[in-house]
Amino acid sequence: MGNRRVLRFPHQYGRLRIRPTSTASCDTKKVMTPSLSNLYLPNQSKLSQEELTQLQKDTHFDKKELQQWYKGFLKDCPAGKLTKPEFQKIYRQFFPFGDPTSFADYVFNVFDKDKSGEIDFKEFICALSVTSRGNMDNKLEWAFQLYDIDNDGEISYKEMLQIVEAIYKMVGSMVKLPRDEDTPEKRVNKIFRMMDKDQNGSLNKEEFKEGSKRDETIVSALSLYDGLV
């Protein structure tokens, strides 16, 4: 078996035998442009060779894995699109003791690159590739998009608080927090004391990346799949 692992993805995505990761990376700029996404037809049970070749370049998954993920994606989303309620349902299965609705909404907005209100397979698999198999810089770029809710290139105190509040609601009573982090406000104050070097009340990407490398919990909250895929 080597270092293969079996992943049980929630919401009946099936049981996948995962191979070691490839060296490709998902280019978020490619996801933003017109692409193969409009070729994914509901009655297409397998990805074409052209689609597989492109997705291998854009992700950390091999051809076999991509076909397995696509098969599972169509099983749960016969129309070829993942809606926000369906996305929230996936998170509720991971966090049954909390309320992940708000956090799932924020994550959905980052997955949904073309802002169509739905996630197609390419958007899904590229985001999954980054959050599960990307290197630290990949994940920090993705994380910055999550926290920068209004996409103005900076993370305000209010934006950070919104995300942290959503995380606290999501984990519920599952996690015992230290006294200096037992409320979202305390946690965000602590983050800003550490990261906001110029003390201007917002974090630019450089400050966010540098600070996150010292506090892994900033990024770990994004990925449900670390160590599994």
Side-chain angles (χ1 to χ4, degrees), residues 79-95:
K81 305 286 185 179
L82 181 62
T83 65
K84 186 170 286 189
E86 290 166 339
F87 194 76
Q88 292 169 344
K89 184 176 180 180
I90 292 172
Y91 269 81
R92 282 197 293 272
Q93 293 188 38
F94 271 103
F95 300 96

PDB file of all heavy atoms in Angstrom, residues 79-95:
ATOM      1  N   ALA A  79     -26.696  17.900 -11.748  1.00  0.00           N
ATOM      2  CA  ALA A  79     -26.724  19.034 -12.676  1.00  0.00           C
ATOM      3  C   ALA A  79     -25.330  19.570 -12.970  1.00  0.00           C
ATOM      4  O   ALA A  79     -25.164  20.478 -13.786  1.00  0.00           O
ATOM      5  CB  ALA A  79     -27.606  20.146 -12.121  1.00  0.00           C
ATOM      6  N   GLY A  80     -24.312  19.034 -12.297  1.00  0.00           N
ATOM      7  CA  GLY A  80     -22.945  19.481 -12.528  1.00  0.00           C
ATOM      8  C   GLY A  80     -22.570  20.737 -11.779  1.00  0.00           C
ATOM      9  O   GLY A  80     -21.525  21.330 -12.029  1.00  0.00           O
ATOM     10  N   LYS A  81     -23.400  21.150 -10.830  1.00  0.00           N
ATOM     11  CA  LYS A  81     -23.156  22.355 -10.036  1.00  0.00           C
ATOM     12  C   LYS A  81     -23.415  22.055  -8.568  1.00  0.00           C
ATOM     13  O   LYS A  81     -24.335  21.311  -8.233  1.00  0.00           O
ATOM     14  CB  LYS A  81     -24.083  23.492 -10.471  1.00  0.00           C
ATOM     15  CG  LYS A  81     -24.029  23.843 -11.953  1.00  0.00           C
ATOM     16  CD  LYS A  81     -22.770  24.602 -12.339  1.00  0.00           C
ATOM     17  CE  LYS A  81     -22.815  25.046 -13.790  1.00  0.00           C
ATOM     18  NZ  LYS A  81     -21.620  25.812 -14.184  1.00  0.00           N
ATOM     19  N   LEU A  82     -22.607  22.657  -7.692  1.00  0.00           N
ATOM     20  CA  LEU A  82     -22.786  22.533  -6.248  1.00  0.00           C
ATOM     21  C   LEU A  82     -23.363  23.843  -5.729  1.00  0.00           C
ATOM     22  O   LEU A  82     -22.750  24.903  -5.882  1.00  0.00           O
ATOM     23  CB  LEU A  82     -21.442  22.244  -5.577  1.00  0.00           C
ATOM     24  CG  LEU A  82     -21.420  22.061  -4.054  1.00  0.00           C
ATOM     25  CD1 LEU A  82     -22.276  20.869  -3.638  1.00  0.00           C
ATOM     26  CD2 LEU A  82     -19.980  21.861  -3.579  1.00  0.00           C
ATOM     27  N   THR A  83     -24.543  23.772  -5.135  1.00  0.00           N
ATOM     28  CA  THR A  83     -25.199  24.978  -4.639  1.00  0.00           C
ATOM     29  C   THR A  83     -24.746  25.292  -3.214  1.00  0.00           C
ATOM     30  O   THR A  83     -24.165  24.448  -2.533  1.00  0.00           O
ATOM     31  CB  THR A  83     -26.724  24.821  -4.649  1.00  0.00           C
ATOM     32  OG1 THR A  83     -27.088  23.789  -3.710  1.00  0.00           O
ATOM     33  CG2 THR A  83     -27.231  24.460  -6.036  1.00  0.00           C
ATOM     34  N   LYS A  84     -25.054  26.497  -2.763  1.00  0.00           N
ATOM     35  CA  LYS A  84     -24.657  26.892  -1.414  1.00  0.00           C
ATOM     36  C   LYS A  84     -25.308  26.010  -0.338  1.00  0.00           C
ATOM     37  O   LYS A  84     -24.615  25.593   0.603  1.00  0.00           O
ATOM     38  CB  LYS A  84     -24.983  28.373  -1.175  1.00  0.00           C
ATOM     39  CG  LYS A  84     -24.460  28.901   0.155  1.00  0.00           C
ATOM     40  CD  LYS A  84     -24.574  30.410   0.261  1.00  0.00           C
ATOM     41  CE  LYS A  84     -23.541  31.120  -0.576  1.00  0.00           C
ATOM     42  NZ  LYS A  84     -23.500  32.577  -0.327  1.00  0.00           N
ATOM     43  N   PRO A  85     -26.605  25.688  -0.418  1.00  0.00           N
ATOM     44  CA  PRO A  85     -27.200  24.792   0.587  1.00  0.00           C
ATOM     45  C   PRO A  85     -26.530  23.418   0.628  1.00  0.00           C
ATOM     46  O   PRO A  85     -26.337  22.846   1.706  1.00  0.00           O
ATOM     47  CB  PRO A  85     -28.668  24.683   0.147  1.00  0.00           C
ATOM     48  CG  PRO A  85     -28.936  25.962  -0.562  1.00  0.00           C
ATOM     49  CD  PRO A  85     -27.663  26.267  -1.302  1.00  0.00           C
ATOM     50  N   GLU A  86     -26.154  22.900  -0.543  1.00  0.00           N
ATOM     51  CA  GLU A  86     -25.468  21.610  -0.584  1.00  0.00           C
ATOM     52  C   GLU A  86     -24.082  21.725   0.041  1.00  0.00           C
ATOM     53  O   GLU A  86     -23.615  20.816   0.745  1.00  0.00           O
ATOM     54  CB  GLU A  86     -25.359  21.134  -2.029  1.00  0.00           C
ATOM     55  CG  GLU A  86     -26.689  20.726  -2.634  1.00  0.00           C
ATOM     56  CD  GLU A  86     -26.642  20.585  -4.141  1.00  0.00           C
ATOM     57  OE1 GLU A  86     -25.725  21.161  -4.783  1.00  0.00           O
ATOM     58  OE2 GLU A  86     -27.530  19.916  -4.689  1.00  0.00           O
ATOM     59  N   PHE A  87     -23.416  22.818  -0.200  1.00  0.00           N
ATOM     60  CA  PHE A  87     -22.088  23.074   0.367  1.00  0.00           C
ATOM     61  C   PHE A  87     -22.175  23.173   1.890  1.00  0.00           C
ATOM     62  O   PHE A  87     -21.349  22.628   2.615  1.00  0.00           O
ATOM     63  CB  PHE A  87     -21.540  24.370  -0.223  1.00  0.00           C
ATOM     64  CG  PHE A  87     -20.067  24.582   0.005  1.00  0.00           C
ATOM     65  CD1 PHE A  87     -19.126  23.891  -0.737  1.00  0.00           C
ATOM     66  CD2 PHE A  87     -19.620  25.496   0.948  1.00  0.00           C
ATOM     67  CE1 PHE A  87     -17.770  24.108  -0.547  1.00  0.00           C
ATOM     68  CE2 PHE A  87     -18.265  25.711   1.149  1.00  0.00           C
ATOM     69  CZ  PHE A  87     -17.336  25.016   0.400  1.00  0.00           C
ATOM     70  N   GLN A  88     -23.192  23.860   2.382  1.00  0.00           N
ATOM     71  CA  GLN A  88     -23.409  23.981   3.824  1.00  0.00           C
ATOM     72  C   GLN A  88     -23.660  22.611   4.451  1.00  0.00           C
ATOM     73  O   GLN A  88     -23.212  22.333   5.571  1.00  0.00           O
ATOM     74  CB  GLN A  88     -24.589  24.908   4.113  1.00  0.00           C
ATOM     75  CG  GLN A  88     -24.339  26.371   3.762  1.00  0.00           C
ATOM     76  CD  GLN A  88     -25.590  27.206   3.795  1.00  0.00           C
ATOM     77  OE1 GLN A  88     -26.712  26.696   3.788  1.00  0.00           O
ATOM     78  NE2 GLN A  88     -25.442  28.526   3.824  1.00  0.00           N
ATOM     79  N   LYS A  89     -24.360  21.762   3.723  1.00  0.00           N
ATOM     80  CA  LYS A  89     -24.662  20.420   4.233  1.00  0.00           C
ATOM     81  C   LYS A  89     -23.384  19.620   4.459  1.00  0.00           C
ATOM     82  O   LYS A  89     -23.256  18.887   5.436  1.00  0.00           O
ATOM     83  CB  LYS A  89     -25.575  19.692   3.249  1.00  0.00           C
ATOM     84  CG  LYS A  89     -26.034  18.321   3.736  1.00  0.00           C
ATOM     85  CD  LYS A  89     -27.012  17.702   2.754  1.00  0.00           C
ATOM     86  CE  LYS A  89     -27.471  16.334   3.249  1.00  0.00           C
ATOM     87  NZ  LYS A  89     -28.431  15.706   2.303  1.00  0.00           N
ATOM     88  N   ILE A  90     -22.418  19.775   3.552  1.00  0.00           N
ATOM     89  CA  ILE A  90     -21.127  19.099   3.714  1.00  0.00           C
ATOM     90  C   ILE A  90     -20.467  19.536   5.024  1.00  0.00           C
ATOM     91  O   ILE A  90     -19.978  18.715   5.804  1.00  0.00           O
ATOM     92  CB  ILE A  90     -20.199  19.409   2.520  1.00  0.00           C
ATOM     93  CG1 ILE A  90     -20.737  18.759   1.242  1.00  0.00           C
ATOM     94  CG2 ILE A  90     -18.772  18.942   2.804  1.00  0.00           C
ATOM     95  CD1 ILE A  90     -19.996  19.155  -0.020  1.00  0.00           C
ATOM     96  N   TYR A  91     -20.464  20.844   5.286  1.00  0.00           N
ATOM     97  CA  TYR A  91     -19.840  21.354   6.511  1.00  0.00           C
ATOM     98  C   TYR A  91     -20.591  20.904   7.759  1.00  0.00           C
ATOM     99  O   TYR A  91     -19.990  20.645   8.799  1.00  0.00           O
ATOM    100  CB  TYR A  91     -19.743  22.885   6.459  1.00  0.00           C
ATOM    101  CG  TYR A  91     -18.440  23.367   5.869  1.00  0.00           C
ATOM    102  CD1 TYR A  91     -18.255  23.401   4.493  1.00  0.00           C
ATOM    103  CD2 TYR A  91     -17.382  23.759   6.681  1.00  0.00           C
ATOM    104  CE1 TYR A  91     -17.055  23.818   3.942  1.00  0.00           C
ATOM    105  CE2 TYR A  91     -16.178  24.174   6.140  1.00  0.00           C
ATOM    106  CZ  TYR A  91     -16.018  24.196   4.779  1.00  0.00           C
ATOM    107  OH  TYR A  91     -14.817  24.597   4.234  1.00  0.00           O
ATOM    108  N   ARG A  92     -21.908  20.794   7.668  1.00  0.00           N
ATOM    109  CA  ARG A  92     -22.670  20.342   8.838  1.00  0.00           C
ATOM    110  C   ARG A  92     -22.319  18.911   9.208  1.00  0.00           C
ATOM    111  O   ARG A  92     -22.376  18.547  10.386  1.00  0.00           O
ATOM    112  CB  ARG A  92     -24.174  20.477   8.573  1.00  0.00           C
ATOM    113  CG  ARG A  92     -24.690  21.905   8.703  1.00  0.00           C
ATOM    114  CD  ARG A  92     -26.199  21.944   8.842  1.00  0.00           C
ATOM    115  NE  ARG A  92     -26.874  21.494   7.635  1.00  0.00           N
ATOM    116  CZ  ARG A  92     -27.186  22.288   6.619  1.00  0.00           C
ATOM    117  NH1 ARG A  92     -26.869  23.579   6.655  1.00  0.00           N
ATOM    118  NH2 ARG A  92     -27.812  21.804   5.560  1.00  0.00           N
ATOM    119  N   GLN A  93     -21.928  18.107   8.228  1.00  0.00           N
ATOM    120  CA  GLN A  93     -21.533  16.739   8.538  1.00  0.00           C
ATOM    121  C   GLN A  93     -20.170  16.688   9.217  1.00  0.00           C
ATOM    122  O   GLN A  93     -19.894  15.778   9.992  1.00  0.00           O
ATOM    123  CB  GLN A  93     -21.547  15.899   7.254  1.00  0.00           C
ATOM    124  CG  GLN A  93     -22.957  15.729   6.702  1.00  0.00           C
ATOM    125  CD  GLN A  93     -23.017  14.744   5.562  1.00  0.00           C
ATOM    126  OE1 GLN A  93     -22.343  13.724   5.569  1.00  0.00           O
ATOM    127  NE2 GLN A  93     -23.831  15.048   4.568  1.00  0.00           N
ATOM    128  N   PHE A  94     -19.322  17.663   8.937  1.00  0.00           N
ATOM    129  CA  PHE A  94     -18.036  17.757   9.616  1.00  0.00           C
ATOM    130  C   PHE A  94     -18.188  18.343  11.017  1.00  0.00           C
ATOM    131  O   PHE A  94     -17.423  18.011  11.925  1.00  0.00           O
ATOM    132  CB  PHE A  94     -17.070  18.638   8.816  1.00  0.00           C
ATOM    133  CG  PHE A  94     -16.253  17.898   7.805  1.00  0.00           C
ATOM    134  CD1 PHE A  94     -16.581  17.957   6.457  1.00  0.00           C
ATOM    135  CD2 PHE A  94     -15.160  17.155   8.184  1.00  0.00           C
ATOM    136  CE1 PHE A  94     -15.825  17.288   5.513  1.00  0.00           C
ATOM    137  CE2 PHE A  94     -14.391  16.476   7.250  1.00  0.00           C
ATOM    138  CZ  PHE A  94     -14.727  16.542   5.904  1.00  0.00           C
ATOM    139  N   PHE A  95     -19.133  19.246  11.197  1.00  0.00           N
ATOM    140  CA  PHE A  95     -19.280  19.975  12.468  1.00  0.00           C
ATOM    141  C   PHE A  95     -20.718  19.871  12.982  1.00  0.00           C
ATOM    142  O   PHE A  95     -21.462  20.846  13.007  1.00  0.00           O
ATOM    143  CB  PHE A  95     -18.887  21.442  12.282  1.00  0.00           C
ATOM    144  CG  PHE A  95     -17.458  21.629  11.836  1.00  0.00           C
ATOM    145  CD1 PHE A  95     -17.156  21.796  10.492  1.00  0.00           C
ATOM    146  CD2 PHE A  95     -16.421  21.610  12.755  1.00  0.00           C
ATOM    147  CE1 PHE A  95     -15.843  21.945  10.071  1.00  0.00           C
ATOM    148  CE2 PHE A  95     -15.108  21.770  12.349  1.00  0.00           C
ATOM    149  CZ  PHE A  95     -14.819  21.932  11.001  1.00  0.00           C
TER     150      PHE A  95
END
